[in-house]
Amino acid sequence: MESKRQAKIARLIQKELSEIFRKQTAAMGNVLVSVSSVRVSPDLSVAKAYLSIFPPEKSQEILENIKRQSKTVRYELAQAVKMLLRKCPDVTFFLDDSLDYAENIDRLLASDPIKGTADDYVDPDELKKQRR
């Protein structure tokens, strides 16, 4: 279970990383990198940042570029949180595929031939009234 301190530091890192990526991607144009969540280890030395990248076609390329520039990103993060944290954690970046997963589930549910429509729904109270 995550402690209050871990949660506070995770939110701080998420906010600062979002600002760093907003500044960096403003120059690129037509690219959006958002930090969907950050998980911090109990000893506060490692942080895992999960990124959502739009457009999805460029996500692997942009993620690899971010991983190559991770030292620079960590330095900028350390400058942003230097008054709040004694030591800036090492940050590793991962692609957040939760939106793709949810979209896939929606697509599978929409293609299900067994699934009924809203018109097929019968209210149980109405059935009781009809039986009387």
Side-chain angles (χ1 to χ4, degrees), residues 28 31 38 87 89 94 100 104 109 125 127-128 130:
M28 293 174 65
V31 174
V38 174
K87 182 179 179 246
F94 299 95
D100 296 333
N104 187 33
L109 288 173
D125 294 331
L127 280 177
K128 288 179 188 176
Q130 289 176 0

Side-chain angles (χ1 to χ4, degrees), residues 16-71:
E16 295 300 333
L17 281 175
S18 295
E19 185 63 23
I20 290 168
F21 290 136
R22 186 191 61 79
K23 289 177 184 174
Q24 288 181 351
T25 58
M28 293 174 65
N30 296 332
V31 174
L32 178 67
V33 177
S34 62
V35 183
S36 50
S37 68
V38 174
R39 307 234 186 263
V40 181
S41 66
D43 64 351
L44 309 177
S45 64
V46 178
K48 293 180 181 179
Y50 294 90
L51 308 176
S52 292
I53 300 172
F54 183 81
E57 301 84 40
K58 296 182 178 182
S59 61
Q60 283 300 330
E61 175 188 340
I62 292 172
L63 182 64
E64 291 302 318
N65 189 21
I66 289 171
K67 285 181 179 180
R68 280 194 303 273
Q69 301 294 324
S70 64
K71 297 255 188 250

Side-chain angles (χ1 to χ4, degrees), residues 106-119:
D106 287 342
R107 184 181 51 77
L108 290 172
L109 288 173
S111 68
D112 188 8
I114 300 172
K115 184 180 116 180
T117 62
D119 298 333

